[in-house]
Amino acid sequence: MVICDGMADRPIKELGWRTPLEAANKPSLNRLAQTGICGMLDPISPGVPPGSDTATLALLGYDALKVYSGRGALEASGSGVKVLPGDVAFRCNFATVNENMIITDRRAARIANEEAAKLAESLNKVKLKRNSKARFHFRSTIQHRAVLVIRGPKLSTAVSDSDPGMVGEKAAEVKPLDNSSEAKLTAKIVNELSHDFHQILRNHPVNLDRIKRKLPPASMVLLRGVGTIPNIKPISQTYDVKAIGIAATPLVRGVCKAAGMKVLDVRGATGTPQTDYGAKVRATVHALKSNDFVLLHVKATDVASHDGNPKQKVDVIGKVDSMLGYLLDHVDPNDTYVAVTADHTTSCLTGNHEGDPVPISITGPYVRFDKVKEYDERSCAEGGLGRIRGKDLMPILMNLVGKTRKFGA
Amino acid sequence: MVICDGMADRPIKELGWRTPLEAANKPSLNRLAQTGICGMLDPISPGVPPGSDTATLALLGYDALKVYSGRGALEASGSGVKVLPGDVAFRCNFATVNENMIITDRRAARIANEEAAKLAESLNKVKLKRNSKARFHFRSTIQHRAVLVIRGPKLSTAVSDSDPGMVGEKAAEVKPLDNSSEAKLTAKIVNELSHDFHQILRNHPVNLDRIKRKLPPASMVLLRGVGTIPNIKPISQTYDVKAIGIAATPLVRGVCKAAGMKVLDVRGATGTPQTDYGAKVRATVHALKSNDFVLLHVKATDVASHDGNPKQKVDVIGKVDSMLGYLLDHVDPNDTYVAVTADHTTSCLTGNHEGDPVPISITGPYVRFDKVKEYDERSCAEGGLGRIRGKDLMPILMNLVGKTRKFGA
């Protein structure tokens, strides 16, 4: 299963009212469509714009509406932090605040990884007072980005963000979102940590040095996207398959881990348009030799969309297409099914995830191939799969490879 | 509603990468498609391979995922044994075991009906010791096949099979699958019966005679597919219709009974490719005079698929087509809707039920007929119905005949 993040789009004037997929040079995607069965796929349901987390959960066969439990823990787990069931985790930003706690830079001028790591080291020395049973781990990831994981017996995700999402606002107090003692305790712990972090950061040598260099200090940690690891059955158990994920994006890696999949590290895979597509697809072909199911996730298509750059998106799709050509040329056509889809529509125009369905095409020895000749949003809509939901794809693929159980007799 | 068991298939190399439906001579099915509205139907949901029991429940409008309660009771009821709500029933096989209870023939060389009936008569004389409130009835059906129904105040279906499903294994002890006293009691009763049955069978004159004739004795009864009658509302109540089923297969007859339908006995209907198609369709036309809804079930298409015989399947579809020609010629076209579908895909290649959707076509005076000209998996996928679920079909048909109630005001 190849997921091209945000690859689907809407017609764009600049491309002659074509979508980037329609405008792209994509012989391999078209070959897939010509030999396969095509359709439209609503990652969650029609009109609902999904996140990459909920969409990937759905594409792995889960009912995201039931099992999704926030982004924080998936992101933390995907970043390599150990997250256990019940742990409450946040996505964090190093930000700059003034003396009135007003945010002046949400990213502390995209502070360097090395500086952020030094700050994180100091922050992890904070001792929690209010609840001696709770512990935490803070890890900086890329630039200003970080994750915070809190472990304890009575925690809750029913708490608000401290990140107001824009400069000029005050860093917010985290509030319990229900009346449970767990939510109140979690809010207290988080507010205590935020306060203690700020005290350490404002006088930290790294920040004093930044001020000297006329750089905004990383004087505050903003938290958002609270979550826990979803309580879901590993796909290896549901379908009796050995499954592996190839993805650079921490969030997608976290979803794969939550689904009980191994996650491969590929040298040169960066989650950007400059990623090493060849390395990823070679790793995929290799992984297929010892796995029943391989998820290959490509982030680059989404990056171009969020940048609002249709021509870059067309270009990236061309690179993805070459990558797929290698894949189709190097898998055993008598024994392998290849499905290509997107996790959501990302509009170059709005720069947002949108609720339009995405194209899906499945090729392989015994699919009911249809008449569709091109892989794009409008051609696939005429395909033999009709309109399916994200969570249907995994049962369809697993059935094709003989890994589903009969319901009834 | 005509259900052609397992008629849908995947493209087969031997048929020039066509499906049996695509390869068959089927003027009447095509006439149906040309005058009707076509689509794809997922009996349960995309990718999920259904049994004939769950699929038929769905096609009769029930949510099989919610109401299905095992095969045994449906099979027993369909075989003519009275099964009440709460009764726990099993499908049984007469099998041959050696002195170590190892199964040497799971079907006792397909023992003759008459011999099996004599054995059943003796087995029904067993007295249950452990729970005087429970009673049982054992009935042989066709060859080695039989059903066992246990009635009592505190029984459960949470018990395992005694049939390990293959020769060379020991007949298994039935185990409770949860901690309830009901499951424990049911397992005890079943194990006691299995033991007592074995004691009677090993010295039974019928078996002593079989041994003399060098035939494997039916020395053991193996149990599987435990179930109860699902607790469902009769379709006559849901839609205010008089409904009847025409089916030879015990399982499908049992589903019809569970849905509160009458079930017709048709002379010459055998559930095999040699069934009397003419007798079944004449009975259907006749039944339509005094019923609002007739279900006509044809098993033969599935038999050919399980035998892995595409050419036989093509041939059987031709016979089904002639049968449908008679039906279309003999119903009142101004007053009758005819829907033809399959309960599931059965692949001639894998010999298994598969999760691919099945074609559906509905003809009748006021359907929104579409452009589809041929009745097969891929042509119907281009039809006006799009992709629907099994449980949607009955509301669609009942609405066409004015038997649905408005939801809302």
Side-chain angles (χ1 to χ4, degrees):
Chain A
M1 184 192 298
V2 184
I3 302 180
C4 304
D5 204 313
M7 180 165 66
D9 209 316
R10 293 172 173 169
I12 301 170
K13 190 176 179 185
E14 196 179 336
L15 300 176
W17 295 113
R18 293 174 299 168
T19 67
L21 259 176
E22 287 168 347
N25 179 38
K26 48 174 195 327
S28 301
L29 280 163
N30 290 346
R31 174 178 156 201
L32 178 86
Q34 282 153 25
T35 59
I37 182 166
C38 302
M40 279 177 299
L41 179 149
D42 291 292
I44 304 299
S45 63
V48 174
S52 283
D53 44 9
T54 53
T56 307
L57 276 169
L59 291 170
L60 289 177
Y62 300 100
D63 186 343
L65 291 168
K66 287 186 183 157
V67 306
Y68 182 60
S69 54
R71 173 163 180 161
L74 297 169
E75 180 112 5
S77 163
S79 305
V81 181
K82 189 168 185 178
V83 188
L84 298 180
D87 289 359
V88 166
F90 294 82
R91 304 168 68 196
C92 308
N93 274 10
F94 280 112
T96 309
V97 293
N98 67 17
E99 62 279 8
N100 299 318
M101 300 299 280
I102 304 289
I103 299 162
T104 56
D105 187 331
R106 274 189 69 244
R107 301 186 179 89
R110 295 186 184 271
I111 182 171
N113 291 356
E114 299 72 27
E115 290 180 296
K118 278 184 201 162
L119 296 174
E121 201 186 326
S122 300
L123 298 186
N124 276 317
K125 291 177 184 154
V126 163
K127 297 276 170 244
L128 280 169
K129 289 177 285 278
R130 292 188 199 270
N131 186 312
S132 60
K133 283 182 193 158
R135 286 173 294 153
F136 76 93
H137 182 69
F138 181 89
R139 162 119 28 127
S140 61
T141 56
I142 299 168
Q143 298 175 338
H144 55 286
R145 299 182 194 93
V147 294
L148 171 67
V149 179
I150 306 172
R151 186 166 303 160
K154 290 196 159 216
L155 301 176
S156 165
T157 56
V159 294
S160 62
D161 294 346
S162 71
D163 185 354
M166 51 175 69
V167 297
E169 299 263 324
K170 218 172 157 177
E173 182 122 339
V174 169
K175 295 210 172 77
L177 297 177
D178 63 28
N179 275 323
S180 68
S181 60
E182 287 84 356
K184 287 173 191 162
L185 173 65
T186 308
K188 266 188 193 170
I189 292 172
V190 173
N191 286 324
E192 182 191 320
L193 279 175
S194 295
H195 175 266
D196 290 358
F197 285 178
H198 177 57
Q199 296 308 320
I200 290 176
L201 292 171
R202 55 197 297 217
N203 300 310
H204 197 283
V206 164
N207 276 327
L208 299 177
D209 184 61
R210 284 179 69 82
I211 291 166
K212 255 189 219 158
R213 291 184 287 142
K214 310 271 186 215
L215 288 171
S219 51
M220 187 74 192
V221 174
L222 298 175
L223 296 95
R224 68 187 200 280
V226 63
T228 55
I229 292 292
N231 180 19
I232 54 181
K233 196 170 161 186
I235 61 173
S236 58
Q237 274 180 33
T238 305
Y239 301 110
D240 186 27
V241 290
K242 206 175 152 198
I244 197 164
I246 296 178
T249 312
L251 186 59
V252 175
R253 291 170 70 92
V255 173
C256 289
K257 284 184 181 181
M261 296 165 69
K262 280 198 182 168
V263 183
L264 207 66
D265 290 308
V266 176
R267 203 191 168 94
T270 57
T272 70
Q274 292 74 42
T275 192
D276 188 340
Y277 298 97
K280 286 186 92 158
V281 71
R282 284 190 301 274
T284 303
V285 170
H286 186 74
L288 278 167
K289 295 189 207 300
S290 54
N291 287 274
D292 304 295
F293 173 70
V294 182
L295 172 69
L296 169 58
H297 177 267
V298 181
K299 178 73 179 166
T301 36
D302 195 50
V303 176
S305 318
H306 283 298
D307 289 350
N309 191 335
K311 296 226 163 112
Q312 192 197 347
K313 191 166 179 178
V314 168
D315 182 54
V316 168
I317 290 170
K319 287 177 182 164
V320 169
D321 188 81
S322 306
M323 183 191 79
L324 288 171
Y326 183 95
L327 183 66
L328 294 174
D329 284 342
H330 288 82
V331 298
D332 180 350
N334 299 314
D335 193 34
T336 313
Y337 289 85
V338 176
V340 179
T341 189
D343 57 349
H344 47 74
T345 293
T346 306
S347 162
C348 280
L349 193 77
T350 67
N352 292 330
H353 294 194
E354 300 294 354
D356 309 66
V358 299
I360 163 73
S361 181
I362 307 171
T363 190
Y366 298 104
V367 299
R368 291 176 182 162
F369 53 94
D370 56 31
K371 295 172 188 161
V372 175
K373 300 281 172 240
E374 300 190 51
Y375 183 98
D376 58 54
E377 296 85 351
R378 287 183 274 204
S379 301
C380 283
E382 296 175 13
L385 276 175
R387 188 164 183 164
I388 61 172
R389 296 286 167 100
K391 65 180 176 176
D392 294 331
L393 180 57
M394 200 65 183
I396 291 171
L397 293 177
M398 290 298 104
N399 180 244
L400 284 167
V401 296
K403 292 288 188 182
T404 42
R405 272 184 282 267
K406 189 159 67 171
F407 170 57
Chain B
M1 183 191 300
V2 184
I3 302 179
C4 305
D5 204 312
M7 181 164 66
D9 210 316
R10 293 174 175 169
I12 301 172
K13 192 176 180 186
E14 195 180 336
L15 301 175
W17 294 111
R18 294 175 300 169
T19 67
L21 259 175
E22 287 168 347
N25 178 37
K26 48 173 197 321
S28 302
L29 281 163
N30 290 347
R31 174 178 156 201
L32 177 85
Q34 283 154 24
T35 60
I37 182 167
C38 300
M40 280 177 297
L41 180 148
D42 289 292
I44 303 299
S45 65
V48 174
S52 283
D53 44 10
T54 53
T56 307
L57 277 169
L59 290 170
L60 289 176
Y62 301 100
D63 186 342
L65 291 168
K66 287 186 184 158
V67 306
Y68 182 61
S69 54
R71 175 164 178 162
L74 296 169
E75 179 111 4
S77 163
S79 304
V81 181
K82 189 167 186 180
V83 188
L84 299 180
D87 289 359
V88 166
F90 294 83
R91 304 167 69 197
C92 308
N93 274 11
F94 280 112
T96 309
V97 292
N98 67 16
E99 62 279 9
N100 298 319
M101 301 299 280
I102 304 288
I103 299 161
T104 56
D105 186 332
R106 274 190 71 243
R107 300 187 179 91
R110 296 186 182 272
I111 183 171
N113 292 356
E114 300 70 29
E115 289 179 295
K118 279 184 199 160
L119 295 175
E121 202 187 325
S122 300
L123 298 186
N124 275 317
K125 291 177 184 155
V126 164
K127 297 277 169 242
L128 280 169
K129 290 177 286 278
R130 291 189 200 267
N131 186 311
S132 60
K133 284 183 190 159
R135 287 171 294 155
F136 76 92
H137 181 69
F138 180 89
R139 162 119 27 127
S140 61
T141 56
I142 299 169
Q143 298 176 337
H144 54 284
R145 298 183 194 91
V147 293
L148 171 68
V149 180
I150 307 173
R151 185 166 303 161
K154 290 196 158 213
L155 301 176
S156 165
T157 56
V159 294
S160 63
D161 295 347
S162 72
D163 185 355
M166 52 175 72
V167 297
E169 299 263 324
K170 220 173 154 175
E173 182 123 338
V174 170
K175 296 211 171 76
L177 296 178
D178 63 29
N179 275 321
S180 67
S181 59
E182 287 83 357
K184 287 174 191 163
L185 174 65
T186 308
K188 268 189 191 169
I189 291 172
V190 173
N191 286 324
E192 182 191 320
L193 279 174
S194 296
H195 176 266
D196 291 357
F197 285 180
H198 177 57
Q199 295 308 319
I200 290 175
L201 291 172
R202 56 197 296 220
N203 299 310
H204 197 282
V206 164
N207 276 327
L208 297 178
D209 183 60
R210 284 178 70 81
I211 293 168
K212 256 189 217 157
R213 290 185 289 140
K214 311 271 184 213
L215 289 171
S219 51
M220 188 74 193
V221 174
L222 297 176
L223 296 96
R224 68 188 200 279
V226 62
T228 55
I229 293 292
N231 180 18
I232 55 180
K233 197 171 160 185
I235 59 173
S236 58
Q237 274 180 33
T238 305
Y239 301 111
D240 186 25
V241 290
K242 205 175 152 197
I244 196 164
I246 297 177
T249 313
L251 185 59
V252 176
R253 292 169 69 92
V255 173
C256 289
K257 285 185 181 180
M261 297 164 69
K262 282 198 180 166
V263 182
L264 207 66
D265 290 308
V266 175
R267 203 190 168 91
T270 57
T272 70
Q274 292 75 42
T275 193
D276 187 342
Y277 298 96
K280 286 185 92 159
V281 72
R282 285 191 300 273
T284 302
V285 170
H286 186 75
L288 277 167
K289 294 189 207 301
S290 54
N291 288 276
D292 304 295
F293 174 69
V294 182
L295 172 68
L296 169 58
H297 176 267
V298 181
K299 178 72 180 168
T301 35
D302 195 49
V303 177
S305 317
H306 283 297
D307 289 348
N309 192 335
K311 297 223 163 117
Q312 191 197 347
K313 191 166 179 179
V314 168
D315 182 56
V316 167
I317 291 171
K319 288 177 181 163
V320 169
D321 188 82
S322 306
M323 184 192 78
L324 287 171
Y326 182 96
L327 183 66
L328 294 174
D329 285 342
H330 288 83
V331 298
D332 181 349
N334 299 314
D335 193 34
T336 313
Y337 288 85
V338 176
V340 179
T341 190
D343 57 350
H344 48 75
T345 292
T346 306
S347 164
C348 280
L349 192 78
T350 67
N352 292 329
H353 296 192
E354 299 294 355
D356 308 67
V358 300
I360 163 73
S361 183
I362 307 171
T363 190
Y366 298 105
V367 297
R368 294 177 183 159
F369 52 93
D370 57 30
K371 295 173 188 160
V372 176
K373 299 283 173 239
E374 299 190 49
Y375 183 96
D376 58 56
E377 295 84 352
R378 287 186 273 205
S379 300
C380 284
E382 297 175 15
L385 276 175
R387 188 165 183 163
I388 62 172
R389 295 287 167 102
K391 66 179 177 177
D392 296 331
L393 180 57
M394 200 66 185
I396 291 171
L397 293 176
M398 291 297 103
N399 180 244
L400 284 167
V401 297
K403 292 288 189 183
T404 41
R405 273 185 282 266
K406 188 160 62 174
F407 170 61

